[in-house]
Amino acid sequence: MKAGSTLIFCLFLFGYTYSQEERLPYVMYTDNVVAHTSLSLNSAPFKLKDDFGSFDKLKFKHNLNLIHGIGVAYKWFSLEFSYKLPGYVRNTNKFGKTKYFDLGLQFSYKKWDFAISFEEYKGYGIKNAELISNTLPLSPSGYYLNGKIKSNSFGINAYRFFNPELRMKPAVGIVGRYISPVHGAYLRLTTNIHGISASNGIIPSGFLNTQSSIHKANSISAFDFGAVPGYGYINNVEGWQFGAFAGLGLVIQSKFYNFENTRRGFLGLAPRIDLKLQAGYNVENWFLMLTSEFDNKSIRFKEFKYRQTYYNLTLTYGYRFGDPFKKSKK
């Protein structure tokens, strides 16, 4: 009788465990070698808003580069190499040249998904710069080009999904994919160092009839940390996977600007917005995913406002090969 009870209990436990696995809305392919390639368009325009005399807004944009990436993943190992393709999306005489550098790392630990990133853009132009002065040297497109303007952003983010079935790896769609809908709240803990700088001045202040010291700044930067609550939804309908993550929160911000060998600093709060959209075709052996991410940065000094949006659009194709060590294991 005791042996029979033990057998029934084991069968029940096996059935319960099996049903739990069956209920998972995603499939992971950690035993497959996943090779993928991508094509990305990244950008980080920013705006400065203040009383500049006869106008109140300056728009800074850079030339666009196409980024090609090649990656491979197997088990816990994942590696991706990206580089800028030759040439620019827009005419360099009209919109200048921009140097771009990007470095990132993503990994999971227990119930947390981590993302570490660094981005740098060097070379911006002020759109419609004739508003500043008609004596400024402008490009044929009306841009005032400054190759020394740099934009930097370093961030550490940790995502905690309150629904354990909502995870970042199958949502991205490379080493895993979703097979049924899932949704839930999440919290993003974020720490960032970001800002803009130019040794010859961010704004051509010599052409402005203003007395504000920040108009003469050669750097504007901030260190901030905080939390961004949000909500995510992922689904896969007959191979078509789509989803979104959206959040809104606040960060505590220590902000600075430098001008004429003088440094001024302040403490305050700043809003943070999360937005990530994705869609594509994702089945067992291969996938083609289109992903867009938006990260809004902002700094405010009284009436002076700096706002920058980092965004990227990435098309990724990949194929999942079988386990190369499967036969040797047998």
Side-chain angles (χ1 to χ4, degrees):
M1 182 69 179
K2 186 176 179 180
S5 300
T6 304
L7 179 60
I8 293 173
F9 174 76
C10 290
L11 289 174
F12 172 79
L13 182 62
F14 174 78
Y16 176 78
T17 304
Y18 181 79
S19 63
Q20 286 288 92
E21 293 179 353
E22 283 293 293
R23 283 201 296 268
L24 283 177
Y26 60 83
V27 179
M28 298 298 295
Y29 299 96
T30 54
D31 290 332
N32 294 68
V33 174
V34 184
H36 56 93
T37 181
S38 64
L39 193 63
S40 302
L41 190 63
N42 302 341
S43 187
F46 64 91
K47 299 178 183 179
L48 301 180
K49 191 173 182 180
D50 199 5
D51 181 6
F52 296 110
S54 59
F55 59 97
D56 64 356
K57 188 181 296 182
L58 290 173
K59 296 181 179 180
F60 292 73
K61 294 187 176 183
H62 60 83
N63 211 334
L64 299 174
N65 307 125
L66 282 174
I67 310 298
H68 181 232
I70 301 174
V72 63
Y74 178 67
K75 298 289 188 182
W76 54 268
F77 175 80
S78 179
L79 177 67
E80 183 172 1
F81 173 72
S82 300
Y83 61 94
K84 184 181 78 70
L85 292 175
Y88 293 88
V89 175
R90 299 185 294 185
N91 186 285
T92 55
N93 291 328
K94 295 181 179 180
F95 302 100
K97 295 181 179 181
T98 301
K99 294 181 180 180
Y100 171 73
F101 179 77
D102 177 24
L103 185 65
L105 174 66
Q106 294 183 355
F107 61 95
S108 299
Y109 180 72
K110 293 186 177 180
K111 296 181 179 181
W112 292 87
D113 292 302
F114 293 88
I116 302 174
S117 63
F118 174 78
E119 290 181 273
E120 180 180 275
Y121 296 82
K122 184 177 181 181
Y124 278 81
I126 302 178
K127 186 179 180 181
N128 299 326
E130 68 275 3
L131 293 173
I132 301 174
S133 173
N134 54 15
T135 60
L136 271 175
L138 305 181
S139 73
S141 61
Y143 276 62
Y144 173 68
L145 303 176
N146 186 346
K148 295 185 178 182
I149 295 180
K150 286 199 302 184
S151 168
N152 294 285
S153 175
F154 172 74
I156 302 175
N157 297 281
Y159 292 84
R160 172 67 164 87
F161 295 101
F162 297 105
N163 182 351
E165 295 181 343
L166 187 62
R167 298 308 301 263
M168 191 61 74
K169 282 188 175 181
V172 171
I174 295 178
V175 296
R177 67 185 180 99
Y178 273 89
I179 55 177
S180 59
V182 64
H183 58 89
Y186 69 88
L187 183 68
R188 176 172 71 103
L189 303 182
T190 180
T191 300
N192 297 273
I193 301 173
H194 59 95
I196 50 178
S197 63
S199 59
N200 57 352
I202 299 168
I203 303 172
S205 57
F207 293 86
L208 293 175
N209 186 24
T210 64
Q211 301 301 318
S212 177
S213 60
I214 198 170
H215 294 172
K216 303 175 185 178
N218 51 38
S219 72
I220 299 171
S221 60
F223 166 76
D224 55 47
F225 63 92
V228 181
Y231 204 83
Y233 174 83
I234 302 289
N235 198 0
N236 190 312
V237 180
E238 296 182 355
W240 294 99
Q241 181 164 312
F242 54 91
F245 295 91
L248 177 63
L250 286 174
V251 294
I252 299 173
Q253 187 176 80
S254 179
K255 48 195 175 181
F256 310 89
Y257 71 89
N258 296 340
F259 73 100
E260 297 177 349
N261 298 319
T262 302
R263 182 179 177 86
R264 292 183 177 175
F266 306 87
L267 189 66
L269 297 174
R272 280 292 176 268
I273 299 174
D274 246 358
L275 184 60
K276 181 175 182 178
L277 307 172
Q278 61 170 204
Y281 193 70
N282 202 322
V283 290
E284 183 176 355
N285 292 330
W286 66 279
F287 56 89
L288 181 66
M289 299 294 297
L290 180 65
T291 303
S292 59
E293 293 186 73
F294 301 85
D295 185 15
N296 182 68
K297 312 281 191 186
S298 63
I299 306 174
R300 181 172 181 173
F301 300 93
K302 294 183 178 179
E303 299 303 318
F304 184 93
K305 300 176 184 178
Y306 149 76
R307 179 171 294 174
Q308 185 167 19
T309 301
Y310 285 81
Y311 69 87
N312 66 71
L313 188 66
T314 304
L315 182 65
T316 304
Y317 168 78
Y319 192 87
R320 302 183 181 104
F321 297 90
D323 188 344
F325 303 104
K326 187 175 182 179
K327 292 182 179 180
S328 61
K329 288 178 182 179
K330 289 182 178 179

